[in-house]
Amino acid sequence: MPDFWQFPTVSMGLGPIMSIYQARFERYLRARGVIAGEEPKVWCFMGDGESDEPESLGSLTLAARENLDNLIWVVNCNLQRLDGPVRGNGKIIQELESLFRGAGWNVIKVIWGSEWDALFAADTKGILAKRMSEAVDGEFQKYSVEPGSYIRKNFFGKYPELAEMVNHLSDEQLRMLGRGGHDAKKVYAAYKAAMEHKGQPTVILAKTIKGYGLGEAGEGRNITHQQKKLNEKELREFRTRFQVPNQR
């Protein structure tokens, strides 16, 4: 795809650091008049588990010192690696935010989908925000594989005011409260803000679910990495969830 990807690369750890030096080299060529025209953006897509590779975050301050606003990272924070959670008893998004902000980057977080907007608007006392801050990544992974009744009891049920806030929602509606990385509008807004930001490199921390849409076949489960196909029941569930029209 030469008209789409200019410098494609995929690597566990090396890809991110290479993107920094690629953006710096582009800036070097432009400063010396070797290339002209609109400066291209260098995009790096990586996972939250990949951030533990020593090369991944090893040159963050270089990108900030060089004011590489032609560099955008997108970290897919699905909270899960091959052998378990990335931070079971912690919060990887908060950890990464502190690292990038400390290194001088512009940080954009895309955590919750549009389905949460009405609840945030009703959260005048900050109870929902408090509960989200308390819950660790291991708990959020558990919520992704449990029914809405479990989420109602164990997440919203911790505080009576919070439980009352979702009384009008069914268990199925609670289960479908989405994460920001799966919301096209939220992702678009983040990408647009990143493209327009000047003076700093930008990182987008997008919260997702591993195997999103697979349901019982592997959504939020470790088997996701080995899942190769769906049976008929799982295909029907996928069709219903995403409202795929029937084709003859």
Side-chain angles (χ1 to χ4, degrees):
M1 300 173 66
D3 296 329
F4 190 77
W5 299 111
Q6 293 175 301
F7 300 99
T9 181
V10 176
S11 170
M12 288 299 291
L14 289 178
I17 197 171
M18 288 170 62
S19 73
I20 292 176
Y21 285 95
Q22 178 70 49
R24 185 170 182 260
F25 186 61
E26 295 276 355
R27 186 61 56 84
Y28 170 88
L29 293 177
R30 182 167 302 278
R32 281 151 184 76
V34 178
I35 58 175
E38 184 179 357
E39 186 174 45
K41 295 285 188 181
V42 177
W43 290 75
C44 170
F45 296 84
M46 62 182 285
D48 48 358
E50 187 181 354
S51 67
D52 283 338
E53 298 289 336
E55 300 87 358
S56 293
L57 307 180
S59 294
L60 293 185
T61 55
L62 171 76
R65 287 197 307 274
E66 298 285 337
N67 302 319
L68 297 181
D69 50 16
N70 60 335
L71 176 64
I72 301 171
W73 280 19
V74 180
V75 184
N76 176 24
C77 297
N78 56 40
L79 317 183
Q80 187 175 325
R81 62 171 92 244
L82 283 170
D83 55 355
V86 177
R87 295 288 186 274
N89 294 322
K91 300 173 81 68
I92 185 61
I93 291 179
Q94 300 300 90
E95 180 181 324
L96 290 176
E97 179 184 18
S98 64
L99 285 169
F100 280 96
R101 286 198 189 279
W105 286 53
N106 173 44
V107 178
I108 301 172
K109 295 196 291 185
V110 187
I111 301 180
W112 304 113
S114 299
E115 302 87 355
W116 290 89
D117 289 351
L119 294 179
F120 282 123
D123 185 32
T124 57
K125 297 181 179 179
I127 300 174
L128 178 57
K130 175 184 178 183
R131 183 70 185 102
M132 286 176 164
S133 297
E134 293 172 347
V136 296
D137 288 354
E139 291 176 292
F140 281 119
Q141 285 301 87
K142 180 69 171 175
Y143 300 144
S144 71
V145 300
E146 293 291 346
S149 57
Y150 181 93
I151 299 170
R152 186 185 302 278
K153 176 182 178 181
N154 292 276
F155 180 76
F156 293 101
K158 183 171 182 180
Y159 300 109
E161 303 96 325
L162 199 56
E164 184 178 349
M165 190 185 299
V166 296
N167 275 342
H168 66 290
L169 298 177
S170 67
D171 288 347
E172 180 62 18
Q173 287 175 311
L174 290 183
R175 191 180 73 84
M176 297 302 291
L177 290 172
R179 299 185 182 180
H182 300 304
D183 188 318
K185 292 181 179 179
K186 302 279 186 178
V187 172
Y188 177 87
Y191 281 19
K192 185 175 187 295
M195 288 288 291
E196 295 173 352
H197 188 76
K198 303 297 182 184
Q200 294 171 288
T202 293
V203 61
I204 298 170
L205 305 175
K207 191 172 191 178
T208 63
I209 295 176
K210 176 79 79 172
Y212 175 68
L214 292 181
E216 292 291 332
E219 184 171 3
R221 295 167 169 82
N222 265 3
I223 60 171
T224 304
H225 295 91
Q226 287 77 41
Q227 188 69 26
K228 299 299 187 292
K229 61 181 181 180
L230 307 181
N231 60 35
E232 183 175 337
K233 178 176 180 292
E234 292 161 346
L235 281 171
R236 289 180 182 276
E237 291 177 353
F238 183 92
R239 177 202 62 187
T240 301
R241 177 168 181 178
F242 293 107
Q243 301 177 350
V244 179
N246 291 328
Q247 299 290 332
R248 293 186 180 276

